[in-house]
Structure formats: C-alpha cells, structure tokens
Amino acid sequence: YCYIWSMENLREKPVMSNIGKSTNILWHDCPIGQTERQKLLGQKGCVIWITGLSGSGKSTVACALSRELHYRGHHTYVLDGDNLRHGLNRDLSFKAEDRTENIRRVGEVAKLFADAGTICIASLISPYRRDRDACRALLPDSRFIEVFMDLPLELCEARDPKGLYKLARTGKIKGFTGVDDPYESPVNSEVSF
Ligand SMILES: Nc1ncnc2c1ncn2[C@@H]1O[C@H](COP(=O)(O)OS(=O)(=O)O)[C@@H](OP(=O)(O)O)[C@H]1O
Ligand SMILES: Nc1ncnc2c1ncn2[C@@H]1O[C@H](COP(=O)(O)OP(=O)(O)O)[C@@H](O)[C@H]1O
C-alpha cells in the first residue's frame, strides 16, 4: 500500500490550463489519433478555405470540388457560411464582431474535421484578413489552403442570384459586403480564380 501511495505521489501532477473563460481544464489524449485515422481513410486531413464576395462562386466551387474528390474516393465535408448560419451560427449577425466570431467557430470546426482525417472545404465570405489568418494559424501550413474567388464586385453584383445586392443598393440590407461593408482581399492565398 505504501509503495502504491508513494508512486502516486511521484507521478507528475497534471498541468491545468486556463483558456479564455475556461479555467482549470486539462487536455486528454486518446490512443487513436490523427495518424491512425488518416491511415484508415488513406488520406491526409486538410482545410480548403474559399473566400470571396457574395456571388463570387464560393459555394459552386466548394460543391464541385467535393463532388470530384468524392468520386475519386476521398472523404470531404463542406462547411458553407450560409448553411452554418441556419444552425451553429444562428445567433450571429453580420456586424464586424459577429463575422469574426463566425469565422473563429468555423475555423475551429474545420480544424476538427481535418484532425478527423477529412478534406474540409469551408466556403464563407470571411471578409477580414486577420480572421482568415487566425484560421490558417490553427493548422500546419500545408494543411490550410486558401482559395480566393477574385471576381470584381461588378460581376458578382450582375449575377446577384439571391437579389441581395439589389436590396443592399436600395438600403433594404445594411452592411452588405462589398457595398457598405469591407472585404479585405487575401495577399497570400495558395489559389485564386
Ligand atoms: N450583410 C450581409 N453581408 C454579406 N452576406 C450577407 C449579408 N446578409 C446576408 N448575407 C448572406 O449571408 C451569406 C454570407 O454568410 P457568411 O457566413 O459566409 O458571411 S461572413 O463570412 O460572416 O461574412 C451570403 O451568402 P453568399 O452569397 O453565399 O456569400 C449572403 O447570402
Ligand atoms: N464559374 C462560373 N461562371 C458563371 N457563373 C457562375 C460560376 N460559378 C458560379 N456561378 C454562378 O454565380 C452565382 C453565385 O454562385 P455561388 O456559388 O452561389 O456564389 P457564392 O457562394 O460566392 O455566393 C450562381 O448563380 C452560380 O450559378
């Protein structure tokens, strides 16, 4: 008994962390990790982050890419800004701090998908460079691929498939990206269209 007691006391005390508002938390490792999952799936998890104005073709490219990879035998998952705002992000508006929180959450979710071994395709306007870079920083470099839908506002506005630009121009939507809200183009994207 004394032996077990002394061994217990010799064992390193777990290091507790305080992260944000979460105090006294401890990371728990599992024996099955990213390496094992990737081996099972036969692929490397990564995040393909598609950014651009509304109407620039983000969702179209995300779905086409997902379909192509799927039929070549790869596991993919699309995280679309519009769709996530129906659930996970339904509490967020389009004011600057909510857009930032939107991108932070999706960046974290995308990281989990990549950790699970999936090719995660995120398509969001993600208008702020700093927010996109924060998502990039969550993953090792080669696992975050930024795709910039580099289309002029005029073309996106001419497409206007949902009629949102029209509403923004007539003042019925306030703070619409590209009209009366900023979009910061990437300077270090891996791919641009
Ligand atoms: N004010 C304003 N500005 C921009 N977009 C607006 C706005 N209000 C509604 N929508 C619709 O929301 C979709 C963008 O959502 P995201 O989550 O990708 O936006 S963001 O990354 O938080 O900026 C966007 O979808 P996409 O057209 O697919 O980009 C619009 O349909
Ligand atoms: N390469 C393309 N050429 C022409 N039209 C396109 C192209 N990609 C997308 N579109 C059209 O542009 C509109 C906006 O595309 P969408 O993928 O919904 O953009 P986003 O997700 O960026 O808002 C849709 O009507 C879509 O059919």
Side-chain angles (χ1 to χ4, degrees), residues 84-95 97-106:
L84 293 172
R85 282 175 176 277
H86 284 73
L88 177 69
N89 295 329
R90 69 193 321 160
D91 58 323
L92 301 177
S93 74
F94 287 91
K95 66 181 180 195
E97 57 265 45
D98 280 4
R99 290 190 200 245
T100 292
E101 175 59 10
N102 184 30
I103 301 316
R104 189 194 70 79
R105 284 185 200 172
V106 180

Side-chain angles (χ1 to χ4, degrees), residues 79-153:
L79 296 175
D80 188 89
D82 244 336
N83 293 356
L84 293 172
R85 282 175 176 277
H86 284 73
L88 177 69
N89 295 329
R90 69 193 321 160
D91 58 323
L92 301 177
S93 74
F94 287 91
K95 66 181 180 195
E97 57 265 45
D98 280 4
R99 290 190 200 245
T100 292
E101 175 59 10
N102 184 30
I103 301 316
R104 189 194 70 79
R105 284 185 200 172
V106 180
E108 291 285 353
V109 172
K111 180 187 171 181
L112 294 178
F113 271 96
D115 190 44
T118 298
I119 298 167
C120 181
I121 305 164
S123 52
L124 298 99
I125 295 179
S126 41
Y128 306 126
R129 201 172 292 137
R130 200 173 62 165
D131 298 344
R132 294 190 302 265
D133 286 347
C135 295
R136 180 188 285 278
L138 291 173
L139 288 124
D141 236 2
S142 62
R143 292 194 188 233
F144 185 93
I145 300 147
E146 191 174 26
V147 179
F148 176 31
M149 302 303 295
D150 188 6
L151 268 79
L153 174 67

